[in-house]
Amino acid sequence: MALPSYRLDLFVRAGLLNPQRVLIYLHEKNIISAPHLNVVSVDLNGMTAPNKPPGTVPMLRVPDGTIINQSIAIIDFFEDLCENPMEEWHKEFAKIAMKGSMRGNTAQERARTREKLGIADELTLQIGWAAHKGNKLFSAHEETNMDASRLMLQCARKTMTLLEKYYTQETRTWESGEVTVAECVLFAILAFANDFYGIKLAISDRFPALARFYEEFGKRESTKISPKEWESLAHIGEAMGQSWMFEDVW
């Protein structure tokens, strides 16, 4: 079936952290297979794909040519589009999308989602900095600093403690049922830290609620990537997980 003239091009690479946030969200929103959404997988090494603009992934090109680059901005774009469809192609997305907002339906629910989303995004930054400063994989591209890496991991532990309080209050089963955009972002960083950075964040005895969330959410269909895509990325995870420049990473 030919793509309509108002198609959207989403450039991603499954398994990479920020693209994975968006892909998990799109699956949960039930719009990953929308006929007007053209999902393009980029080359892992060169970050290239046919007609891809310069820049890193994820990257969304909307029908008027506007480029949206940040993962959370892309998620917000689709949430806004589905909640308040203005144009005909917006309405096509809204028709097939999961009903209800993934940011919450009341002011209180949306505030709580923003709280969790902000903390999960902060954790993502901390873990990323720790890995870039303390993992041999990045040493050829930037200066390493063991003290900075340890400090960021200490900050990450504090951030995890904040998140643990939120998820201790949750009684739902994460394997099924409704989730928010905050859960999509949180699972992405926990999975990436575990699989690629070699930091077993969610299985520590210190964070039982997050460990339950991670195990149960990981059974959702939205978290799966194809074996072919996983195979092309697995060697990266192995290299990163075994190349920390100091002992006792977590």
Side-chain angles (χ1 to χ4, degrees), residues 5 35 66 72-73 88 104 117 122 133 137 155-156 182-183 224 235:
S5 59
T66 299
I72 292 179
E88 285 303 314
L117 178 60
E122 184 177 346
K133 292 303 178 184
L137 186 68
C155 292
E183 277 73 57
K224 312 305 180 192
H235 69 283

Side-chain angles (χ1 to χ4, degrees), residues 123 126-127 150-162 201 206-207 248-250:
L123 178 66
Q126 292 164 344
I127 293 300
R150 289 191 179 93
L151 177 61
M152 284 295 100
L153 287 177
Q154 290 173 7
C155 292
R157 292 188 192 100
K158 293 180 180 179
T159 303
M160 292 280 286
T161 300
L162 290 176
L201 295 181
R206 282 176 280 186
F207 310 115
D248 189 23
V249 172
W250 187 248

Side-chain angles (χ1 to χ4, degrees), residues 28-226:
E28 295 291 348
K29 195 68 177 178
N30 196 41
I31 55 177
I32 186 67
S33 299
H36 16 269
L37 179 61
N38 181 34
V39 180
V40 182
S41 182
V42 303
D43 174 75
L44 182 60
N45 295 318
M47 283 294 170
T48 59
N51 301 316
K52 177 185 175 295
T56 58
V57 293
M59 175 184 294
L60 177 68
R61 180 166 52 206
V62 300
D64 69 359
T66 299
I67 303 296
I68 305 173
N69 290 291
Q70 300 299 319
S71 58
I72 292 179
I74 292 172
I75 290 171
D76 275 337
F77 171 83
F78 282 111
E79 278 296 287
D80 289 339
L81 181 151
C82 292
E83 288 179 22
N84 186 30
M86 304 289 289
E87 301 181 33
E88 285 303 314
W89 65 271
H90 295 183
K91 296 175 183 177
E92 291 299 316
F93 269 94
K95 284 180 183 178
I96 64 174
M98 182 203 74
K99 304 307 178 185
S101 172
M102 285 182 64
R103 293 182 292 202
N105 296 312
T106 67
Q108 292 92 328
E109 289 175 352
R110 288 177 181 248
R112 180 54 60 94
T113 298
R114 290 190 193 99
E115 288 175 348
K116 293 190 294 183
L117 178 60
I119 299 171
D121 201 34
E122 184 177 346
L123 178 66
T124 301
L125 178 63
Q126 292 164 344
I127 293 300
W129 269 102
H132 277 253
K133 292 303 178 184
N135 193 293
K136 292 179 182 178
L137 186 68
F138 301 102
S139 60
H141 306 285
E142 59 185 87
E143 182 181 353
T144 57
N145 187 314
M146 299 304 97
D147 290 336
S149 184
R150 289 191 179 93
L151 177 61
M152 284 295 100
L153 287 177
Q154 290 173 7
C155 292
R157 292 188 192 100
K158 293 180 180 179
T159 303
M160 292 280 286
T161 300
L162 290 176
L163 285 167
E164 177 73 7
K165 293 178 181 178
Y166 282 97
Y167 286 88
T168 298
Q169 300 170 11
E170 295 282 1
T171 58
R172 75 182 79 182
T173 299
W174 295 106
E175 188 173 349
S176 60
E178 296 181 358
V179 296
T180 72
V181 297
E183 277 73 57
C184 300
V185 171
L186 176 58
F187 180 83
I189 182 54
L190 295 181
F192 202 76
N194 284 333
D195 296 336
F196 294 95
Y197 288 157
I199 309 174
K200 304 303 179 183
L201 295 181
I203 62 175
S204 169
D205 292 338
R206 282 176 280 186
F207 310 115
L210 287 175
R212 181 177 74 86
F213 162 78
Y214 179 66
E215 179 182 3
E216 293 179 2
F217 196 99
K219 297 175 183 178
R220 298 177 74 95
E221 191 62 31
S222 63
T223 67
K224 312 305 180 192
I225 59 175
S226 72

